[in-house]
């Protein structure tokens, strides 16, 4: 193993997901983009879902294709039932099946409580929670139809929900977002319980503060960075690749006995760092 900072990335076995087909929602930006690339680097064929900015999605497809696997960009709004059904149907038609669904797409529409409109509340619930429900449901139908193919994977399929530390940590001024991620936690655990007998593994990754466009204001200026770092015992802001690595591992058979778990990838943010010196 080399000793560069890239080591954890390049150390992932290149063919860990060989022969598997993955779909990543919201894969033309931030965590979804890094995850789609990580899955492709690990040998999976990848569908790159996007809702806007096809050029960005095209670049992700190009990079994934350079690993010698298959990739394509599909447009769909994950909060729309007909679009999600059509997207998964198209993947089954064009790629043969789906083995890994990464329900990653998400958004924020922040406001103090009494200023938050019903539209802001509803939009975030629709995308962050209902979108994951729809994607998980459509993928499950295909996992069930196909069943286990031992040469590909020990399980019939994997669903990985992109949650957040805010499935646990309350977040003033973001009640729609925190409620959506709290919902993802119970949805994920309930699905894991319901689907495990069918050899379908459902898990979540809960990122802490990761440098992406969704939270630019939290890391863009030196003052904001300093404030943010007080919440992170490991004293660095996360990179999208930190999350991608966790997803690749969770999706692989190395984690075949991991069911209904949330993997926090947060530099220790959920360890209540204020208590290190107080309490
Ligand atoms: P991002 O804004 O870079 O990416 C979000 C992606 O979701 C974009 O590609 C966007 O177009 C897509 N999207 C939004 N609405 C959609 C819709 N209706 N249909 C399809 N795609 C849609 O932000 P990110 O940080 O990469 O966020 C990815 C996920 O990670 C989200 O679920 C977010 O809640 C979660 N997360 C991020 C952080 C962080 O610190 N960045 C922390 C915790 C959780």
């Amino acid at each position: 193993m080399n000793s560069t900072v890239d080591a954890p990335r390049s150390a992932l076995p290149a063919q860990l997901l060989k022969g598997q087909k993955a779909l990543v929602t919201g894969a033309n930006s931030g965590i979804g983009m890094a995850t789609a690339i990580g899955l492709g680097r690990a040998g999976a064929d990848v569908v790159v879902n996007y809702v806007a900015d096809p050029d960005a999605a095209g670049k992700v497809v190009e990079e994934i294709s350079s690993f010698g696997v298959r990739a394509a960009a599909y447009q769909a709004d994950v909060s729309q039932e007909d679009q999600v059904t059509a997207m998964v149907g198209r993947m089954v038609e064009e790629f043969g099946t789906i083995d890994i669904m990464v329900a990653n797409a998400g958004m924020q529409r922040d406001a103090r409580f009494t200023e938050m409109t019903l539209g802001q509340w509803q939009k975030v619930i629709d995308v962050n929670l209902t979108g994951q429900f729809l994607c998980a449901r459509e993928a499950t139908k295909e996992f069930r139809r196909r069943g286990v193919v031992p040469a590909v994977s020990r399980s019939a399929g994997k669903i990985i929900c992109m949650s957040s530390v805010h499935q646990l940590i309350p977040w003033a001024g973001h009640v729609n977002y925190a409620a959506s991620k709290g919902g993802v936690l119970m949805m994920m655990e309930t699905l894991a319980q319901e689907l495990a007998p069918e050899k379908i593994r459902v898990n979540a990754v809960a990122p802490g503060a990761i440098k992406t466009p969704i939270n630019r204001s939290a890391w863009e200026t030196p003052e904001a960075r300093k404030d943010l770092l007080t919440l992170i015992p490991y004293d660095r802001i996360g990179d999208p690749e930190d999350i991608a690595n966790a997803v690749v591992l969770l999706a692989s058979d190395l984690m075949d006995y991991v069911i209904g778990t949330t993997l926090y990838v947060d530099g220790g943010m959920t360890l209540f760092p204020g208590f290190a010196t107080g309490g």
Side-chain angles (χ1 to χ4, degrees), residues 22-270:
L23 187 156
V24 183
T25 65
N28 60 346
S29 174
I31 289 170
M33 177 181 345
T35 297
I37 292 167
L39 291 165
R41 187 180 280 125
D45 296 328
V46 186
V47 169
V48 173
N49 159 257
Y50 67 98
V51 68
D53 196 355
D55 289 351
K59 287 194 187 113
V60 180
V61 165
E62 224 172 274
E63 177 156 0
I64 295 171
S65 304
S66 76
F67 305 134
V69 295
R70 194 168 159 203
Y74 291 1
Q75 183 176 28
D77 178 338
V78 296
S79 67
Q80 301 300 313
E81 185 174 29
D82 54 340
Q83 296 186 33
V84 174
T85 305
M87 172 172 72
V88 176
R90 181 178 167 194
M91 179 167 179
V92 172
E93 213 174 284
E94 294 179 358
F95 282 69
T97 192
I98 174 170
D99 302 285
I100 301 162
M101 166 63 82
V102 185
N104 164 79
M107 62 169 7
Q108 292 180 213
R109 287 283 183 276
D110 308 332
R112 303 302 299 180
F113 180 41
T114 51
E115 275 89 63
M116 187 173 285
T117 63
L118 181 59
Q120 286 171 314
W121 167 268
Q122 197 61 56
K123 180 76 183 167
V124 170
I125 298 293
D126 284 351
V127 173
N128 294 12
L129 182 56
T130 308
Q132 294 209 10
F133 160 78
L134 292 170
C135 290
R137 192 187 66 184
E138 293 313 301
T140 297
K141 290 178 188 168
E142 170 59 14
F143 298 160
R144 185 175 284 151
R145 185 199 65 75
R146 173 183 28 77
V148 177
V149 179
V152 175
S153 173
R154 295 179 74 180
S155 73
K158 279 81 60 168
I159 294 165
I160 297 173
C161 298
M162 198 55 67
S163 190
S164 164
V165 290
H166 295 297
Q167 69 171 21
L168 184 73
I169 304 175
W171 202 16
H174 305 77
V175 66
N176 48 2
Y177 185 84
S180 74
K181 297 299 184 179
V184 165
L185 169 65
M186 262 303 128
M187 182 189 74
M188 180 280 288
E189 292 186 355
T190 300
L191 295 184
Q193 187 192 59
E194 188 168 331
L195 300 175
E198 297 181 70
K199 293 277 181 288
I200 295 168
R201 293 200 294 116
V202 187
N203 289 286
V205 173
I210 309 298
K211 225 182 284 172
T212 75
I214 210 174
N215 59 356
R216 187 178 295 284
S217 61
W219 51 262
E220 207 166 33
T221 66
E223 304 78 56
R225 279 178 63 83
K226 192 161 164 267
D227 278 357
L228 183 56
L229 286 172
T230 64
L231 302 174
I232 308 173
Y234 205 54
D235 202 33
R236 77 167 168 88
I237 299 172
D239 296 314
E241 289 75 16
D242 289 311
I243 306 304
N245 287 342
V247 172
V248 169
L249 280 172
L250 258 185
S252 78
D253 278 4
L254 290 176
M255 299 282 150
D256 187 57
Y257 208 51
V258 178
I259 312 282
T261 291
T262 297
L263 178 51
Y264 287 92
V265 184
D266 68 352
M269 190 178 250
T270 42

